[in-house]
Amino acid sequence: MTDTALSTDTTTRAHGVGLTDEAALKVKSLLSQEGRDDLRLRVAVQPGGCSGLIYQLYFDERFLDGDKAVDFDGVEVIIDDMSVPYLDGATIDFKDTISEQGFTIDNPNAAGSCACGDSFH
């Protein structure tokens, strides 16, 4: 195992969330439109929604105490330490089809979700 492989493996485990190539490209495109290079993609879980918890994805310039970060080919994804257990093993994707458009989160930790897919438990 090379140092690079070890580093990537260790880094990915920092928060356990994956980002597909399609999602990374879309994030890079959105960041380019913003014209800023100091923003990261923050993924969080907050109380709310009809199922109990909602996902939040947004750009954030802050790096808070306890945040876990992973760099995906130039896209830094940060997750607060309270959200990590709810998101460990999840994958963020971007869909752009006739029936779906936007970011999706495939989360194996979600026991159920609402009909619209915006909240989970």
Side-chain angles (χ1 to χ4, degrees):
M1 181 184 276
T2 66
D3 288 341
T4 304
L6 179 61
S7 173
T8 302
D9 189 47
T10 302
T11 304
T12 302
R13 280 194 239 127
H15 57 52
V17 173
L19 188 70
T20 66
D21 291 343
E22 293 81 8
L25 285 172
K26 185 61 177 179
V27 170
K28 284 180 182 180
S29 171
L30 292 170
L31 287 172
S32 175
Q33 290 174 18
E34 290 288 324
R36 294 178 59 182
D37 60 2
D38 63 332
L39 298 175
R40 302 167 179 92
L41 179 64
R42 181 175 291 278
V43 184
V45 172
Q46 300 291 324
C50 54
S51 292
L53 297 169
I54 57 172
Y55 298 113
Q56 292 189 329
L57 275 78
Y58 57 95
F59 293 125
D60 198 348
E61 62 191 22
R62 302 167 300 151
F63 193 87
L64 306 173
D65 191 36
D67 280 350
K68 309 294 185 222
V70 175
D71 186 277
F72 294 91
D73 193 28
V75 174
E76 192 172 15
V77 177
I78 53 174
I79 300 177
D80 64 272
D81 60 349
M82 298 284 285
S83 297
V84 169
Y86 296 104
L87 295 169
D88 187 27
T91 302
I92 301 168
D93 194 10
F94 182 78
K95 305 277 187 196
D96 191 7
T97 66
I98 228 167
S99 61
E100 272 186 291
Q101 184 174 34
F103 288 97
T104 61
I105 299 176
D106 180 18
N107 187 352
N109 300 308
S113 64
C114 63
C116 64
D118 288 336
S119 65
F120 71 99
H121 65 271

